[in-house]
Amino acid sequence: MDKNADVMYRLLVQSVIDYAIYMLKPDGTVANWNAGAQRAKGYTAEEIVGQHFSRFYSENDRLSGLPQRGLDTAARTGSFETEGWRYRKDGSAFWAHVVIDAIRSEQGELLGFAKIIRDCTKQQEQQRKQHEQETRFRLLVEGVTDYAIYMLDHEGLVVNWNAGAQRAKGYVAEEIVGQHFSRFYSAQDRMARIPEKNLQTAFSTGRFEDEGWRYRKDGSAFWAHVIIDAVRDEGGKLIGYAKITRDCTEQQLLLRAQREQEQRFRLLVEGVTDYAIYMLDIQGCVVNWNAGAQRAKGYTADEIIGQHFSIFYGAQERLQRLPETNLSIALTRGRFEDEGWRYRKDGSAFWAHVVIDAIHDDEGQLIGFAKITRDVTERREQQQQLLRAKDLAELQSTKMLALSKFLDNIIANIPSCVVVEDAITREILLVNDRSEELFGVAKALLINKRPHECMSAELSDYFNSLADIALRSEGMHEREQLLLTASGERVLHTRATAIKGEDARQNYIMLIVEDVTDQRAADARIHHMAHHDNLTSLPNRILFRQRLSEALRNDMQNGQHTATLCLDLDNFKNVNDALGHQIGDELLRTVAKRLRGTLRDRDTLARIGGDEFAIVLPLVSSTEEAAIVAQRLIESIRAPINVEGHNLSVGLSVGIVLSTTLTNTPEQMLRCADMALYEAKRNGRNRYEHFTLAMDNVARSRRMIENDLREALGSRQLRLYYQPITDGEAVQSIIGYEALMRWHHPVKGLIMPSDFIPIAEECGLIHMLGAYALYEACREASTWEGKQSVSVNLSPLQFKNSSLVTVVEAALRDSGLEPSRLEVEITESVLLDDSLGNIRTLESLKKLGVQIALDDFGTGYSSLSYLRSFPFDKIKIDKSFINDMGDSREALAIIRAITGMSRSLDIQITAEGVESSEQFARLREEGCTLFQGYFFGRPQPSELRLKALDKPA
């Protein structure tokens, strides 16, 4: 390097101000000093040249020998580089990046050191802040619970897992880190390689965003909003993917409901023809135009949109700037409302009722005006006519008042007591004046009360029992009974009937009660007939109750006990069905004689209905004594009875109750004995059972369920769940769903149909319950995409209601569901009871286009005559045969018989209760075509029902 070059280099070094550059002698003293050194350290060249460079270090660094170690390292290796705190002349510290290079001669002799220092305080502070920010961000991500945030590697394996991911997906980090993220997708999505396609989209475009169903560890589904971002380093190389998932199930349902509501509102507004409904912008120009506006104003949308709404006003009103004034009022007060003349396109005038509402967005910003105009010219004319007719109406009012009083007098003087109840809540809605005398309670205290709240237990039980009968079957139902009223013990003759409301979901009960005590007492023969059974000449229910009341009164006086026995013949119905009612009547007479011959003279044997008998045993010392009598009664009819050459064998079930402080009224005794009888039948028949408090608790529980069920019907606690029905021949596609009712009780939680349907059948609520199921199933099915059918179970009791066909027809009409998509399921018992009438009902349903399925086939009589008497569309094999077919040859034989028969008759077969792939494969081999069970899907609400199968065929 020549001398000029040395000068240039020296000038360059001296002029650099961002770096401190200076030379050290071999002993570490400063040899020269550039402008950058003066700026960085604060010393001038005169102050520092000749000083040892260790003065730039702290006292601790100097004591530890740090400055000399730096020189030694540079001398030994040629260079030394480090970072650390250094100090200026004023004592302030700065973070320095230091490089010390050893300078040697051509012979290798150490000449000194070149030292370069740069102030990196700002960079170090930025690095520290960046590290703190990264730490905060990591803690933030790990602590988020509303979002699942985690990283995937190149192949889609989970790298980390935050608290939100654990909450959303159900997996802890140890279970999922290292697993492929596709496990959150359904089997069908995985087979279609949807997860890999989503990663590819993120790789290609930088981001993938989607919404859809994802699955948790427990298998439950949730609607997820998903974002996958490709993460690259500064050089653009892919290092993985960031995945954010949020559970939006609730928002998705709300959004869908909002969209449906907005669509309905838009269609409603556009379809309205009696009202002109349109929007104005802030300046008053028309933005949109409905059919009613075109009809009222005469303009088409193309002609009026964009025009100022003042076109509908008269010229004089426009000069007065009335349109602008009206908008100003709407803006100031929120609404403008008025009536006046407006003008159509053809110039004709009409009297209009006008409403202008100011419309603001969520932030309160005005976005326009909603304007509703209705042509009320006709109404105005009617008002004018009404004004002209006012005087005439006032003249007529005196006559109308007199007529109203006349009608009130007629109702008040009806000689019978009239009570009208709501069929579901049993609230009393109407009573007449005669009711006050009978019940001894003012009308005002009866209205809106239930019978048990305003009457004695005896009277309320009597009326509730009649109401239940009226709900179970149509027609007028009558009963006569001796009851304690406000006027003493009276014989009440009551007629009960169910009255239909506007539709099948609302009914009423009308009770007409007459006091026939005097009439019965006047005629001894009628009195006898009223107290004895015509067929057996035994006491009937009325006389039985009198005898029981007498026995209970004696108990109270003498401290004794009375036993009540309820008896019911076993298998008597089979005799009636097989041999006819004449043989059945003669059998009852013989049974009555045998029973009477077993009892004491002071005992009372009564026939209280059908094949039901009841006994009063007064002066009983213990339950064992009553049990001995019950066993003698059972033995007395054990021997066959010969009736017209037929040897008939029937059994006897007996329920026993002994009077106590808890059972001391006739109704309580009968009710408890009947509960014991029910237990005897449940435990095998031809035996007796004693009443226990546990039975009463069960009965009370049933009554509580009945009351709660009435409340549930009114407050929509009942929902339909849908279980898929699949076609095994069409790659297991879902062809329909069976509607299964679930009761979401606010206290007891989920109640299954087996726990409340029998109670609904007993108390008559089954008709309202069945109507609700039909209406709801048709309504929800009409919203489904595709043409899947919906299957609804019908109770045999619903066939006793002649309006069943009308209810089905109305449910289809209201919902718009195609009749071929509705399938009703019945059991064999429908065909056993009044088979001819029920066949006609089924034929009427068939004419509507509804499909008919025979459910639980094989569990009852399963007579081929059923299949001959009516062309069923489907037969459903009961799940008990499916469960047993692996271990029972009989069950498999029955399945084969049913499938073979169905092929011959060209009827589809549905196998219920399929729970495994082995059952499915075996049933398909045996010829079953349709399948249903947990193997394919569990019942779910309509919005969450299984829409496609992901199991392989």
Side-chain angles (χ1 to χ4, degrees), residues 14 30 32-34 38 43-50:
Q14 291 294 332
V30 179
N32 54 40
W33 196 247
N34 79 330
Q38 181 172 340
Y43 296 96
T44 63
E46 291 76 11
E47 292 175 304
I48 205 64
V49 171

Side-chain angles (χ1 to χ4, degrees), residues 25-162:
K25 295 178 180 180
D27 61 358
T29 58
V30 179
N32 54 40
W33 196 247
N34 79 330
Q38 181 172 340
R39 180 184 181 189
K41 306 280 190 172
Y43 296 96
T44 63
E46 291 76 11
E47 292 175 304
I48 205 64
V49 171
Q51 300 291 326
H52 198 273
F53 83 108
S54 60
R55 71 184 305 165
F56 307 135
Y57 289 74
S58 67
E59 182 66 26
N60 288 336
D61 287 346
R62 288 196 295 271
L63 291 174
S64 66
L66 184 62
Q68 188 58 44
R69 284 202 300 275
L71 291 185
D72 293 343
T73 301
R76 185 175 63 255
T77 63
S79 181
F80 172 74
E81 187 171 357
T82 187
E83 285 191 357
W85 292 107
R86 296 296 182 268
Y87 297 87
R88 301 185 181 92
K89 176 182 177 181
D90 60 5
S92 61
F94 65 97
W95 188 264
H97 178 263
V98 179
V99 177
I100 302 175
D101 286 315
I103 307 298
R104 296 182 180 273
S105 65
E106 293 179 359
Q107 291 77 28
E109 179 185 359
L110 179 66
L111 301 178
F113 301 92
K115 195 161 187 286
I116 302 174
I117 299 175
R118 188 181 184 190
D119 184 348
C120 296
T121 307
K122 290 184 178 179
Q123 292 89 326
Q124 196 270 346
E125 180 65 19
Q126 288 173 351
Q127 288 176 352
R128 184 183 64 79
K129 289 181 179 178
Q130 182 178 356
H131 177 71
E132 290 177 353
Q133 185 176 1
E134 289 173 352
T135 302
R136 285 195 299 271
F137 181 74
R138 177 178 56 79
L139 294 174
L140 172 65
V141 169
E142 291 178 353
V144 168
T145 59
D146 291 335
Y147 290 82
I149 305 174
Y150 51 98
M151 291 289 294
L152 307 176
D153 65 10
H154 301 71
E155 287 76 29
L157 301 180
V158 177
V159 175
N160 50 40
W161 196 247
N162 80 326

